[in-house]
Amino acid sequence: YLRDWQQDRWFRLDDALASVVPWEEVRAAAVGQEGSHTSAYVLVYLEASLAAEQRRPQDRAATLRAAEALAPAQLLQDIRADNQALQAELSQMELRLAEQGLRRHAEAIFQHYAGLIHQWEPLKRTGDSLGNPHDVNARKFLHDPALLCFELFLYRFFNEQEVWTYLVSQSIEAQRRVRAWKEEEEGRILHHLAG
């Protein structure tokens, strides 16, 4: 726990999280509670005059320059190197998150496409030149099944790969409207879809 003298508040500094907490939580953690053996293991006392000086408004840039003047050169160099490494790590994390988002777009396209394929398979039997003995509605006897829908037209006059290509394009267009990705991202999304 750390007290902010300037704004009279307490911070809890947990490994990856810093949060403002009430004094009661600090007191309970420092003193311990019934049935608990927790207590403060490091205490730092501050002289009242120094605390009063810290409460006065200060120029942050001047304070930083003064602190840097007191710090050893090697420490400052290490801090700068750590800050650069942190920035590089944050940049890499942002790239990974962006890439995950693009993969999710590709997965949504594939899910949509799978639904269209699921609808296509029974419809394909209607246009199959061999007919389908399981077609209880006798749709195989229609004069030209290619007139029923565009997918059957593609199937009749070209091949099933043309139907699949059409369904993929329908899935991409549907997800483009729903997910509203940026135009420049589409190539990478399609790359993930193909992979």
Side-chain angles (χ1 to χ4, degrees), residues 147-162:
L147 298 175
L148 290 176
C149 67
F150 187 65
E151 290 88 341
L152 285 173
F153 171 80
L154 289 174
Y155 184 53
R156 172 135 163 28
F157 289 101
F158 298 102
N159 56 35
E160 193 169 15
Q161 284 79 12
E162 288 295 323

Side-chain angles (χ1 to χ4, degrees), residues 5-66:
W5 288 93
Q6 294 174 332
Q7 297 187 26
D8 194 26
R9 60 185 178 171
W10 285 90
F11 286 96
R12 178 178 183 198
L13 304 173
D14 203 350
D15 292 330
L17 180 66
S19 55
V20 177
V21 295
W23 161 246
E24 290 75 22
E25 180 181 325
V26 177
R27 183 172 177 265
V31 176
Q33 302 171 22
E34 190 174 327
S36 171
H37 299 294
T38 62
S39 61
Y41 58 91
V42 174
L43 296 174
V44 177
Y45 292 94
L46 188 61
E47 191 175 306
S49 62
L50 183 57
E53 186 175 326
Q54 286 184 351
R55 285 191 191 110
R56 282 186 305 153
Q58 298 177 1
D59 177 21
R60 289 188 182 272
T63 304
L64 181 60
R65 283 192 301 274

